[in-house]
Amino acid sequence: MRSGTRFIILGGFAVAGIVGGWIWMTSGNHARSQELVLYGTVDVRQVELSFNASERIGSVLVEEGDRIKQGELLGKLELEPFELAVDRAKAQIDVQQQVVDRLVAGTRPEEIREAEASLNSAEAELKDVKATFQRILTLKEKSVTTQQDLDDARSKLDTAEANVKLQQAALDLAIAGPRKEDIAEAKALLKRYKVEERQAEHDLTDAHLYAPSNGIIQERILEVGDMASPQKPVYTVALTDPVWVRAYVSETDLGKISEGMRAEVVTDSFPDKKYAGWVGFISPTAEFTPKPVETPELRTKLVYQIRVFVKAPNNELRLGMPATVHIPLNQQPTKNADTRPATSDTDSKHDKHDH
């Protein structure tokens, strides 16, 4: 009887162990089924900065490893040629502005009175020349003077009459003032000089190199005295915003995730830290699994690239750093990418851009 009881007790322990193991295994599988784990590397944008002008470099203001902020001055070309071009443009504007002002103001009253006086003098001279001509003509009829004297008097009369007409025309022009076409031409030339001034000032601005965004100087390529041009990078900069993990998901898991889903990122460098993130991009096309990606599936299978954007306020995530992405699958599906969690306005703008 005691042996039977012992058998029943041992059997009960065995059954309890089997049930407990089954419960433990099913709970573990259930927990794992509620989370998608992906492996990838940290990625950031890199840009090459160059001057938008051609001239020798006058100064470089940052070193490799320096952190830079958006709008910070990073370097300057030799500025004298650009400053001289601005001064020359301003001088042209000043001269042409005087021409326009003179034409718009029209003829001064003093100039009109001067033209009237010249006309009166010409008319008086004509009157005197006519009287002289009549006297010589009378003398010629009486054969008292020569034909040459008569011809000289007639020539002076013609000259005096032409001078009167000339002075009358000058007075008419003075009264009428400048032509509208002349004023329009002068104004057009002034506008051209102003455009040239803006271009010169723009070129002067291009002789300065500013940081387009926050980042870290990775490499300083050119030095003071080097010839710069838009085709020659001066710095290579790693942008610190945005930061994402480039990972790959298999086709069988593709339907489990969507853009905007929350995620957590863990790295070997900081194993105790979990970085909050979100799925910001899922590639619409498949590709073969890259060799660096560790997946339990065969490498010949097709996968889809995703980007998991990460909140990294301390800039601890560096380019190429291996990372593990945990995506909980018990999330409410998002209707569009705008419902994803955002770190800041800057993060949101970058995420929309990558779409």
Side-chain angles (χ1 to χ4, degrees), residues 208-220:
H208 298 73
L209 183 60
Y210 297 95
S213 183
N214 298 343
I216 300 174
I217 300 295
Q218 285 189 308
E219 185 179 5
R220 195 170 89 174

Side-chain angles (χ1 to χ4, degrees), residues 36-292:
L36 181 62
V37 180
L38 303 174
Y39 304 93
T41 54
V42 176
D43 204 354
V44 297
R45 288 190 176 92
Q46 294 175 287
V47 295
E48 293 183 336
L49 304 183
S50 60
F51 288 99
N52 194 27
S54 297
E55 184 54 68
R56 294 198 179 278
I57 296 178
S59 61
V60 286
L61 305 178
V62 291
E63 302 285 345
E64 293 174 350
D66 288 351
R67 294 188 177 274
I68 59 175
K69 295 183 179 180
Q70 183 178 9
E72 180 179 348
L73 180 62
L74 306 180
K76 295 184 289 186
L77 299 177
E78 293 182 355
L79 301 181
E80 185 177 5
F82 302 96
E83 293 171 343
L84 290 175
V86 173
D87 293 341
R88 182 169 57 252
K90 290 181 180 297
Q92 287 179 328
I93 289 175
D94 291 340
V95 172
Q96 190 60 27
Q97 185 66 60
Q98 297 299 322
V99 174
V100 171
D101 293 343
R102 183 172 67 250
L103 292 175
V104 171
T107 309
R108 293 179 297 178
E110 295 82 1
E111 294 174 334
I112 294 177
R113 288 196 292 269
E114 181 182 359
E116 290 176 343
S118 297
L119 177 59
N120 293 335
S121 176
E123 289 176 341
E125 183 180 357
L126 175 60
K127 184 178 180 180
D128 183 59
V129 170
K130 280 183 176 181
T132 302
F133 176 75
Q134 289 297 331
R135 286 196 301 270
I136 294 176
L137 181 59
T138 302
L139 294 174
K140 180 63 175 64
E141 291 174 351
K142 296 179 180 180
S143 300
V144 176
T145 186
T146 64
Q147 181 65 36
Q148 182 62 46
D149 292 336
L150 180 62
D151 293 340
D152 292 342
R154 182 177 288 107
S155 178
K156 289 181 180 180
L157 177 61
D158 293 340
T159 300
E161 290 177 344
N163 188 41
V164 169
K165 292 180 180 179
L166 178 62
Q167 298 303 326
Q168 182 64 55
L171 177 60
D172 294 340
L173 286 175
I175 295 174
R179 296 174 58 183
K180 294 181 180 179
E181 294 82 358
D182 293 337
I183 297 176
E185 180 183 5
K187 288 183 176 180
L189 188 57
L190 176 62
K191 183 178 180 180
R192 171 189 166 183
Y193 289 153
K194 288 182 177 180
V195 171
E196 291 179 355
E197 180 196 24
R198 290 199 299 269
Q199 181 63 54
E201 291 176 343
H202 182 270
D203 293 342
L204 178 59
T205 301
D206 284 343
H208 298 73
L209 183 60
Y210 297 95
S213 183
N214 298 343
I216 300 174
I217 300 295
Q218 285 189 308
E219 185 179 5
R220 195 170 89 174
I221 303 171
L222 299 182
E223 298 294 337
V224 174
D226 284 335
M227 192 67 186
S229 71
Q231 293 77 31
K232 291 183 178 181
V234 182
Y235 300 105
T236 300
V237 178
L239 304 184
T240 55
D241 184 25
V243 177
W244 68 84
V245 174
R246 187 190 305 273
Y248 296 86
V249 59
S250 63
E251 190 275 334
T252 56
D253 292 328
L254 185 61
K256 300 177 183 179
I257 61 174
S258 61
E259 294 176 355
M261 291 182 68
R262 290 176 288 104
E264 286 186 342
V265 175
V266 180
T267 64
D268 296 336
S269 301
F270 305 98
D272 297 330
K273 287 189 176 183
K274 294 182 178 180
Y275 300 93
W278 68 94
V279 179
F281 170 77
I282 301 176
S283 175
T285 58
E287 55 186 287
F288 287 102
T289 308
K291 290 183 179 180

Side-chain angles (χ1 to χ4, degrees), residues 341-353:
T343 59
S344 65
D345 293 340
T346 304
D347 291 332
S348 300
K349 291 178 181 177
H350 281 299
D351 200 12
K352 291 179 180 178
H353 173 74

Side-chain angles (χ1 to χ4, degrees), residues 11-26:
F13 278 122
V15 171
I18 293 173
V19 172
W22 180 82
I23 293 174
W24 179 82
M25 291 179 62
T26 54

